[in-house]
């Protein structure tokens, strides 16, 4: 058996590692559109903005059965006598008995952002290097979006002495993820560290000649900006395969074992929208933990090992020297209950409960208690967690 993997980031790299762990010794070809060997993305919005840190993953170059084709872009799905494959941008066809799509996602932008220099999005190591260079010479930065990426970049900017302002369309940062009460806690964290937060408002336009100099909001406010960073989510990279028989709907649609409707073609990571048995619905997740978990699922499926269940959501974020963690699935009507501390204390842990049963957990600087409740939630009956 031979496996072709399209995508050389965390999901693709993790699949190679998991296949070898499962004893698979056949040929693996990994295609990546970046020229860089696989690297870890979470540090890009944190430590990497301070200076170069080693974020490379072991690229497996010492494995003669794994071939890495970097700086190459897939432009279409094809088929060959050996099985499914892809056509590359130079016309080369690479096929195997199994094809795994792990093409990730790209950062969303805003109209007008491409016309001025000094406006950035963050997705790749090259993006992070450009942002780092800008932040080290800037006095003011406007960050559009108060999600995890925006919050982490604001934290980094503040530590560099750059005056940061976050513009967020929602009324509370991360309220869609944590709920309004913990969203307000995140807002307080920004304020306590000198970061200005403008919520419930949108960007009207970017102002400047060749380079951005300000951001105008929809209420007419003009925010001076030496640098602008847009962090408003990501779009799955699926357009390159739009002429294939794959089902595409906010990602490559798969079953709970990452299988697409086309035999021998799988999808995983940020580009995949998998059926989640626990949720009873399709779900696309962009977190680091999901990419590694789905790599384990695909490796088990390809090698005939016992299937692994799709894990619950888990993510973490470092902001202003604080560790924020979340696991599980919450609904707007879940009851929030603090089990240690509260929003006014240096650390706290809160449970989201449904019918008196914990379904999600949030913590700041309380990893031990968080881990205990996370394990408890992962053992709960699936029916309780279904939204």
């Amino acid at each position: 058996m031979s496996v072709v993997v399209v995508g050389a980031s965390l999901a693709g790299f993790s699949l190679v590692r998991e296949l070898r762990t499962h004893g698979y010794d056949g040929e693996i070809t990994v295609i990546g559109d970046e020229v860089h060997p696989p690297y870890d993305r979470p540090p890009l919005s944190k430590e990497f903005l301070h200076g170069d840190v080693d974020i490379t993953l072991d690229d497996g170059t010492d494995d003669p059965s794994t071939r890495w084709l970097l700086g190459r872009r897939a432009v279409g799905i094809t088929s060959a006598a050996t099985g499914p494959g892809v056509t590359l941008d130079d016309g080369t066809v690479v096929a195997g008995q199994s094809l795994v799509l792990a093409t990730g996602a790209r950062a969303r932008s805003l109209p007008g952002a491409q016309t001025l220099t000094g406006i950035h999005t963050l997705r790749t190591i090259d993006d992070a290097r450009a942002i780092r260079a800008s932040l080290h010479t800037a006095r003011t930065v406007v960050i559009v979006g108060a999600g995890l990426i925006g919050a982490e970049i604001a934290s980094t900017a503040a530590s560099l002495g750059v005056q940061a302002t976050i513009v967020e369309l929602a009324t509370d940062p991360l309220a869609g993820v944590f709920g309004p009460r913990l969203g307000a806690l995140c807002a307080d964290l920004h304020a306590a560290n000198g970061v200005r937060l403008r919520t419930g408002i949108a960007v009207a336009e970017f102002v400047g000649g060749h380079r951005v100099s300000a951001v105008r909001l929809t209420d007419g406010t003009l925010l001076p900006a030496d640098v602008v960073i847009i962090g408003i989510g990501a779009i799955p990279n699926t357009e390159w395969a739009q002429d294939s028989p794959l089902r595409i709907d906010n990602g490559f649609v798969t079953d709970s074992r990452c299988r697409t409707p086309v035999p021998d073609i799988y999808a995983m990571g940020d580009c995949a929208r998998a059926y989640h048995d626990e949720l009873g619905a399709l779900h696309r997740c962009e977190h680091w933990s999901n990419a590694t978990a789905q790599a384990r699922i695909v490796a088990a499926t390809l090698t005939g090992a016992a299937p692994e269940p799709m894990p619950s959501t888990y993510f973490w974020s470092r902001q202003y020297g604080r560790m924020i963690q979340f696991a599980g699935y919450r609904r707007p009507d879940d009851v929030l209950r603090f089990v240690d501390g509260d929003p006014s204390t240096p650390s706290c842990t809160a449970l989201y409960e449904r019918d008196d049963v914990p379904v999600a957990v949030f913590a700041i600087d309380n990893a031990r208690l968080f881990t205990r409740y996370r394990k408890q939630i992962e053992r709960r009956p699936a029916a309780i967690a279904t939204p």
Side-chain angles (χ1 to χ4, degrees):
M1 181 175 74
S2 59
V3 179
V4 175
V5 183
V6 188
S9 193
L10 177 66
F13 163 82
S14 298
L15 176 61
V16 174
R17 181 182 57 194
E18 293 296 334
L19 283 170
R20 299 308 187 200
T21 299
H22 279 76
Y24 172 72
D25 59 2
E27 180 181 328
I28 304 173
T29 301
V30 187
I31 301 160
D33 60 357
E34 290 189 65
V35 298
H36 309 290
Y39 57 88
D40 210 14
R41 293 185 191 274
L44 294 181
S45 57
K46 299 180 282 291
E47 301 96 328
F48 194 84
L49 294 183
H50 285 278
D52 271 323
V53 295
D54 185 9
I55 60 173
T56 57
L57 302 168
D58 176 14
D59 62 8
T61 53
D62 58 344
D63 177 7
S65 296
T66 301
R67 181 171 59 141
W68 296 86
L69 301 179
L70 301 179
R72 309 288 291 279
R73 185 169 55 87
V75 296
I77 302 288
T78 188
S79 60
T82 56
V86 293
T87 302
L88 304 186
D89 49 5
D90 64 355
T92 302
V93 173
V94 182
Q97 291 168 293
S98 297
L99 174 64
V100 183
L101 309 180
T103 47
R106 63 188 182 278
R108 292 182 184 276
S109 191
L110 288 171
Q114 293 75 31
T115 63
L116 298 174
T117 61
I119 302 178
H120 306 271
T121 57
L122 176 60
R123 190 70 189 178
T124 69
I125 191 170
D126 293 326
D127 294 336
R129 285 173 175 154
I131 291 172
R132 182 175 64 197
S134 292
L135 287 179
H136 280 266
T137 59
R139 294 172 298 172
T140 59
V141 58
V142 171
I143 299 165
V144 185
L148 296 177
I149 293 295
E152 289 170 356
I153 293 176
S155 170
T156 302
S159 70
L160 293 172
V162 181
Q163 176 59 63
T165 301
I166 301 177
V167 178
E168 169 59 45
L169 187 59
T171 55
D172 288 297
L174 292 166
V177 179
F178 299 140
R181 189 174 181 190
L182 292 179
L185 186 157
C186 294
D188 292 342
L189 194 57
H190 290 305
N193 287 275
V195 172
R196 300 167 182 165
L197 186 63
R198 292 294 310 272
T199 60
I201 199 165
V203 171
E205 64 173 336
F206 300 109
V207 179
H210 172 70
R211 183 179 181 85
V212 69
S213 60
V215 176
R216 193 184 309 279
L217 305 184
T218 49
D219 67 354
T221 300
L222 198 65
L223 300 176
D226 300 320
V227 183
V228 173
I229 301 167
I230 301 171
I232 54 174
I235 303 169
N237 292 323
T238 59
E239 293 86 353
W240 66 275
Q242 62 184 358
D243 294 330
S244 74
L246 296 171
R247 182 184 170 196
I248 301 175
D249 181 7
N250 186 29
F252 295 114
V253 176
T254 76
D255 66 9
S256 60
R257 297 190 68 177
C258 302
R259 296 174 293 202
T260 73
V262 179
D264 301 316
I265 300 183
Y266 304 77
M268 62 180 186
D270 294 358
C271 71
R273 190 166 173 233
Y275 184 83
H276 203 298
D277 292 324
E278 185 179 4
L279 296 175
L282 294 170
H283 180 63
R284 190 172 73 84
C285 180
E286 297 176 1
H287 297 305
W288 187 97
S289 57
N290 181 71
T292 56
Q294 288 190 333
R296 292 193 297 270
I297 291 170
V298 174
T301 303
L302 289 175
T303 58
E308 293 197 16
M310 194 75 75
S312 296
T313 289
Y314 166 65
F315 62 85
W316 70 96
S317 177
R318 291 192 181 276
Q319 301 173 26
Y320 309 107
R322 314 289 294 279
M323 177 62 143
I324 298 174
Q325 294 173 285
F326 179 90
Y329 296 100
R330 63 166 287 273
R331 293 192 313 206
D333 57 348
D334 290 338
V335 176
L336 183 70
R337 179 170 65 91
F338 284 87
V339 293
D340 183 74
D342 59 53
S344 68
T345 57
S347 67
C348 64
T349 303
L351 292 178
Y352 301 84
E353 296 177 326
R354 195 174 309 150
D355 299 325
D356 298 322
V357 176
V359 294
V361 58
F362 168 95
I364 293 184
D365 289 340
N366 201 340
R368 179 175 296 182
L369 192 57
F370 172 85
T371 301
R372 185 190 3 156
Y373 280 110
R374 180 189 176 192
K375 290 179 178 178
Q376 178 183 333
I377 290 166
E378 289 176 344
R379 291 192 297 264
R380 72 200 184 284
I384 294 175
T386 303

